């Protein structure tokens, strides 16, 4: 755990954070990663980066939605439902279409914003931490848990064990999405001071929370009995260790369920706005009508397309091994993210040479471009290691699936760009002028 998180920080999170801070404060227009890549390599690759940041949400949201199934089972006192892959499949599809329809009728982003953060993150996280700490103080280190007894030789050998290596990308997933924070930089009054400080503080909190909680959880889950999508399992174990009532786990599950559901609901419309803007620029076929918004600002065609594609990814849960499907979805999302970050890394270097005299309020390296090359090199090493360790530790069928999906989703915007027509832009503008919202 410590080795993988250290690797993820040094070769993944830190380079991406430094690039994000420099690019966000140097290119302060709207658009974030799309603006950076477009400045470096033109509209084609700017569109590709936006597309990849959009499509990664399909495996990501299905994976996150799968955590709702065990929570729902614990809430109603039917814990075994979380182990049923058919129930998981049906639940994800029904739930995703439900929140899609709700977003077409109501402003769910406004309803679920702050409420979702408090219910889904702060309260359950606080409850989990308090229970975990109390259980640790009562029991101490449990040699029969996933954490096990400490052994220097065992720790070192586990770093090359395929069972351990399969979690490298899952650890990296903790830090994905860092680059998208760049879209908020223009909103800050003191962007050159507040944005770097806020981003570094957020990374520090994320690392500490994950390290502490992972340690406490690993010390209470019996070896070999983990269920990756069941975030209520540690709380159930904590209550058993402490001899506290099981309804605490049900309260936790209810809070987490409502919070995650509300957050997922807001994510339905968030990324869709990016595709709507891309469509307005004539980068997508006008007949798709991705640029149209309804009365509450929802791009209906984009949202419905998302629901269809997410449902297709959910079909993976027809496979009986829930843990394997969960990891497959995580790894696929990380592969797509790594593709985007590879493009951003190249754009970072390119912008340095295209705009050598541009004012850089936050700069990687005081002089020259050596620091920029070093940071980019670390990121490329990190991406390569994540890809290799994932492929080595994954069964052949899952590896082929992840590679094919990543290549397909990467090739799609390039194919669309190849067949782009000037009429896409003129038709979209004419439709919008004639009342197409």
């Amino acid at each position: 755990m410590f080795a993988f998180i250290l690797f993820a920080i040094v070769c993944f999170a830190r380079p991406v954070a430094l690039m994000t801070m420099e690019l966000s404060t140097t290119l302060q227009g709207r658009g974030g990663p799309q603006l950076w890549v477009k400045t470096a390599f033109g509209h084609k690759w700017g569109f590709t980066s936006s597309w990849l940041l959009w499509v990664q949400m399909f495996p990501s949201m299905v994976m996150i939605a799968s955590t709702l199934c065990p929570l729902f089972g614990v809430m109603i006192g039917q814990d075994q439902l979380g182990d049923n892959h058919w129930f998981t499949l049906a639940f994800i599809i029904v739930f995703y279409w439900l929140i899609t329809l709700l977003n077409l009728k109501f402003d769910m982003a406004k309803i679920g914003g702050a409420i979702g953060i408090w219910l889904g993150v702060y309260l359950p996280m606080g409850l989990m931490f308090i229970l975990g700490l109390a259980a640790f103080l009562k029991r101490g280190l449990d040699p029969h848990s996933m954490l096990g007894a400490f052994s220097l030789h065992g720790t070192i050998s586990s770093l090359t064990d395929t069972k351990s290596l399969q979690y490298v990308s899952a650890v990296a997933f903790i830090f994905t999405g860092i680059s998208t924070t760049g879209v908020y930089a223009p909103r800050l009054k003191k962007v050159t001071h507040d944005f770097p400080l806020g981003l570094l503080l957020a990374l520090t909190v994320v690392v500490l929370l994950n390290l502490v909680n992972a340690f406490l959880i690993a010390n209470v889950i019996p070896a070999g009995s983990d269920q990756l999508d069941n975030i209520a399992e540690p709380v159930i174990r904590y209550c058993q260790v402490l001899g506290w009532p099981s309804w605490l786990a049900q309260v936790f599950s209810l809070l987490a369920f409502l919070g995650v559901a509300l957050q997922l609901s807001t994510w339905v419309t968030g990324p869709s706005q990016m595709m709507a803007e891309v469509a307005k620029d004539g980068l997508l076929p006008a007949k798709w009508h991705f640029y149209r918004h309804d009365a509450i600002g929802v791009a209906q065609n984009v949202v419905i397309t998302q629901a269809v594609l997410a449902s297709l990814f959910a079909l993976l849960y027809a496979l009986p091994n829930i843990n394997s499907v969960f990891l497959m979805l995580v790894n696929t999302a990380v592969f797509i993210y790594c593709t985007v970050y590879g493009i951003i890394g190249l754009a970072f270097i390119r912008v340095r040479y295209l705009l050598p005299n541009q004012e850089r309020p936050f700069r990687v390296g005081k002089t020259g471009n050596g620091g920029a090359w070093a940071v980019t090199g670390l990121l490329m090493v990190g991406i390569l290691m994540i890809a290799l360790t994932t492929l080595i530790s994954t069964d052949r069928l899952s590896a082929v699936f992840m590679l094919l999906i990543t290549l397909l989703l990467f090739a799609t915007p390039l194919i669309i760009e190849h067949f782009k027509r000037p009429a896409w832009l003129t038709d979209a503008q004419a439709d919008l002028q004639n009342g197409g919202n």
Side-chain angles (χ1 to χ4, degrees):
M1 177 179 65
F2 287 98
F4 290 169
I5 285 186
L6 180 62
F7 160 77
I9 293 171
V10 173
C11 294
F12 193 73
R14 185 174 180 273
V16 173
L18 290 173
M19 291 177 182
T20 298
M21 287 187 286
E22 177 171 320
L23 290 169
S24 296
T25 54
T26 301
L27 305 173
Q28 296 187 24
R30 296 186 179 276
Q34 181 189 11
L35 172 64
W36 312 335
V37 176
K38 183 173 67 175
T39 301
F41 300 118
H43 288 279
K44 174 181 178 180
W45 291 103
F47 167 51
T48 300
S49 62
S50 294
W51 175 276
L52 291 173
L53 286 172
W54 177 55
V55 298
Q56 64 76 30
M57 69 174 285
F58 306 139
S60 297
M61 291 191 70
V62 170
M63 178 268 295
I64 294 171
S66 71
T67 65
L68 292 172
C69 305
L71 289 173
F72 181 77
V74 174
M75 282 167 48
I76 64 174
Q78 300 292 325
D79 297 11
Q80 71 278 5
L81 286 177
D83 300 322
N84 189 313
H85 67 104
W86 291 115
F87 174 77
T88 301
L89 167 60
F91 190 97
I92 292 172
I93 293 177
V94 171
F95 174 81
Y96 198 90
W97 277 99
L98 176 62
I99 61 173
T100 296
L101 294 175
L102 286 173
N103 271 283
L104 295 177
K105 295 294 183 181
F106 307 101
D107 189 352
M108 297 301 293
K110 184 179 295 184
I111 296 172
I115 297 175
I117 289 292
W118 274 100
L119 289 179
V121 180
Y122 300 144
L123 290 179
M125 181 74 78
L127 180 59
M128 177 181 281
F129 177 78
I130 291 170
L131 292 174
L133 184 60
F136 175 75
L137 293 175
K138 179 177 180 179
R139 175 185 280 185
L141 292 174
D142 183 359
H144 303 294
S145 66
M146 288 179 62
L147 188 63
F150 175 75
S151 164
L152 182 59
H153 177 268
T155 301
I156 294 174
S157 64
S158 70
L159 297 178
T160 57
D161 179 61
T162 55
K163 290 183 179 179
S164 298
L165 291 176
Q166 65 180 328
Y167 295 110
V168 171
S169 63
V171 172
F173 186 79
I174 297 171
F175 304 102
T176 55
I178 295 173
S179 61
T180 56
T181 59
V183 301
Y184 300 106
R187 302 182 187 182
L188 301 176
K189 292 181 178 180
K190 299 180 180 179
V191 63
T192 58
H193 174 268
D194 294 346
F195 185 75
L197 182 63
L199 188 55
L200 288 175
L201 179 61
L203 284 174
T204 302
V205 172
V206 166
V207 170
L208 290 177
L209 283 177
N210 278 280
L211 277 175
V212 174
N213 268 311
F215 182 87
L216 295 174
I217 290 170
N219 190 53
V220 76
I221 303 294
S225 65
D226 57 308
Q227 186 180 345
L228 296 179
D229 66 341
N230 190 352
I231 58 179
E233 184 182 9
V235 178
I236 295 172
R237 301 281 183 181
Y238 293 150
C239 291
Q240 291 172 350
V241 171
L242 296 168
W244 290 3
S246 59
W247 58 259
L248 284 171
Q250 291 178 301
V251 171
F252 170 85
S253 298
L254 175 62
L255 291 173
F257 183 94
L258 291 175
V260 173
L262 286 171
Q263 285 297 297
L264 279 173
S265 182
T266 62
W267 295 343
V268 167
T269 55
S272 67
Q273 301 303 317
M274 180 169 56
M275 281 297 103
E277 292 302 317
V278 166
K280 285 182 181 179
D281 291 337
L283 299 176
L284 290 171
K287 64 182 179 181
W288 293 2
H289 294 155
F290 272 17
Y291 51 81
R292 286 185 175 180
H293 291 82
D294 62 16
I296 57 176
V298 175
Q300 292 184 341
N301 286 17
V302 184
V303 168
I304 292 174
T305 302
Q306 290 174 178
V308 172
L309 293 174
S311 298
L312 292 177
F313 273 97
L315 293 177
L316 287 171
Y317 277 102
L319 300 173
N321 193 323
I322 291 179
N323 276 355
S324 295
V325 175
F326 188 89
L327 276 176
M328 191 189 303
L329 290 168
V330 173
N331 292 338
T332 303
V334 172
F335 269 43
I336 298 171
Y337 261 120
C338 284
T339 305
V340 177
Y341 288 149
I343 297 173
I344 291 175
L346 296 175
F348 176 62
I349 293 294
R350 176 73 171 162
V351 169
R352 275 292 185 95
Y353 289 94
L354 280 179
L355 305 172
N357 299 320
Q358 179 81 12
E359 182 182 356
R360 288 176 167 81
F362 179 90
R363 194 179 196 279
V364 177
K366 293 183 179 179
T367 58
N369 294 321
W373 278 104
V375 166
T376 304
L378 277 175
L379 177 61
M380 296 305 176
V381 169
I383 290 173
L384 180 62
M385 290 300 295
I386 290 169
L388 289 177
T389 54
T390 301
L391 293 174
I392 290 171
S393 60
T394 305
D395 64 87
R396 186 174 299 177
L397 181 61
S398 297
V400 170
F401 171 82
M402 290 183 294
L403 286 174
L404 285 178
I405 290 297
T406 303
L407 289 173
L408 175 63
L409 295 177
F410 176 75
T412 300
L414 299 179
I415 295 172
I416 294 174
E417 171 68 22
H418 178 74
F419 290 100
K420 185 178 69 174
R421 296 290 181 266
W424 293 358
L425 177 60
T426 55
D427 289 349
Q429 291 177 338
D431 187 28
L432 289 171
Q433 290 175 356
N434 292 330
N437 293 325

